[in-house]
Every structure is written in C-alpha cells, then in structure tokens.
Amino acid sequence: MKQIQEIINIFRPAKNLNFEKMGPTNPNARGIPVPASKKGFHLDKSIEKVCPTGGLKVSSSKEVTIDYGACLQCGHCVEASAGQLENSGFIHVYSVDREALKVRYIDGVPANYEEEVSENVKQFRKITKNTGFQYREVAASGNNATEAEINASFNAVFDSEASMVRVVASPKHSDAVVFAGPVGPNMEIPLQVAWDTTPGPKALIACGTEAVSGGLFQRGKLPKEPDLFIGGDPPRPDVIVSAFRYLMGKKKFSFREELSKFISERRSKS
C-alpha cells in the first residue's frame, strides 16, 4: 500500500498558488532596480548609458527616474551604481496606467502618484469580475520568451483557468487581445485584425517589456493604447495571472502604492 501511495503522490497535481495572499516580491528573483536603502543617495549621470533600453534618466545626483515599463530587470544598472541601486526582488510590475510605471525618485524616495483607471477598464471590470475573460494571444515579433511564460500560466501550479482566464483560438471568441513582442512591421496588420475581430467591450493587454515599451527595439503601431501593461522580460507566470486578476478587479493592487510601501519598509530597517 505504501508503494501505491508513493506512485499516486508522484502523479498528484502540484498545489495551486494562493493568488489572494501573494505578495509583489520573490526572494529568488532579481526584480526591478531600486535606490539602496542606505542614506546618502548619490547617482552619477553616466549610469544612463548602462541601461540597454534607455529606461533610466538621472536629472541630478539626488533625482532619478526609472521607467519600469522599459526595464528588462537585467541588473546592469545595479552592478554599475557603486551600491546606490539594489536588486529588489519586486516582480509584480503591472498597471492599467502606463505613467504609473515611470517612477521618479528624489533622494531614494518615490514621488507620489495616483494611478488612473480608464472608463474602458472600469467597464471591462464590471463585465469580467464575476465571469472571467477569454483572450487571443498575438506573438508580435518577440523571441517567444513571453509566450513560454503564458503557456506555463496554465499548468497545474499557476492554473490560469482557476482564475477564470482562458486562451481561445479565435479573436471572434475572445474578450481581450494579449500581445507580446515589440510589434514589428509585419505584425502591425495582424495585430490590428485580431483587435478589430474581437467583439466589444474588450481590452488590449501588453504582456512583457517589449510589448509595453519596445524594450531593445522600436515598438510598432498599436490598434490603441493598451488597457493593461505587464512589465518583465519575460514576466513570470504568477505575475501574468495576478495582472489578469487585477485587470478583472478580482485583485486589489496599485503598483505605485506597493512599491512605496516596499521601499518605506526597507528604509525603516536599514
């Protein structure tokens, strides 16, 4: 009987993640760069050249703006900052407001910003909060890394369908279009067609840094301003599912509030 039970345990599905209690950080991930928790923040302007996407801008030795929608979470700026920047492990980088992902730090403290929610997102939430949504994914000239993470979001651990989010083969049957990649010239029309074919009300979701800002490339033409921006190159499956839950209104989340809280707690412990 013991051997039989061991065999059953091998094939037993892994325990699902609890998205209700999930925090914005992961100790095993590099995460986004943030000012070091120690006092005396001072950053040299030359560090701008280190960022491969141009997402880091130094206005003065005490003021820096980091566009986390362009951040690859590569860690290069941290390595070149002489201890002024740190890898945070903060990986839940998503918002319905693109400007919320552009954070201005003054002496290591993020400036206040209130996330704006569009009327289209509000309408989408009313429809999908209790029923979930279906989406058609468009691989728009990326390297397939984000697609791999989207595929993983449906396995027994992350179980996207348990959060009532499903992939469908045709945009005719979808409520949203999710695109990954910087949208090269040959994918502008296919993405537009997928969007036009999707019945309304609907949402456009930029999944991954390349989709949000172009990343290392020039981002192509979009059908409209996305309704959800998910940073990361690529974003992890748990981040993707959490972002979808946030878009539906099933998860209360504000990137700026969570980041400010995270940094405040780090500074208080230093």
Side-chain angles (χ1 to χ4, degrees), residues 144-154 158 207 234-238 240:
N144 206 43
T146 298
E147 283 78 8
E149 300 302 292
I150 290 176
N151 290 340
S153 73
F154 288 93
F158 304 104
C207 190
R236 290 166 50 99
D238 49 333
I240 294 172

Side-chain angles (χ1 to χ4, degrees), residues 199-210:
K202 53 189 174 181
L204 182 65
I205 301 172
C207 190
T209 297
E210 288 184 342

Side-chain angles (χ1 to χ4, degrees), residues 75-92:
H76 290 336
C77 61
V78 173
E79 295 173 1
S81 70
Q84 296 301 302
L85 296 175
E86 296 177 342
N87 293 314
S88 64
F90 197 108
I91 57 174
H92 283 240

Side-chain angles (χ1 to χ4, degrees), residues 14-17 19 152-159:
K15 186 177 180 180
N16 293 39
L17 294 181
F19 288 97
S153 73
F154 288 93
N155 66 27
V157 176
F158 304 104
D159 198 4

Side-chain angles (χ1 to χ4, degrees), residues 36-43 61-62 82-84 107-108 267:
S37 55
K38 63 182 181 181
K39 296 180 180 179
F41 181 72
H42 181 93
L43 200 61
S61 62
K62 296 290 185 180
Q84 296 301 302
D107 200 19
R267 291 173 69 91

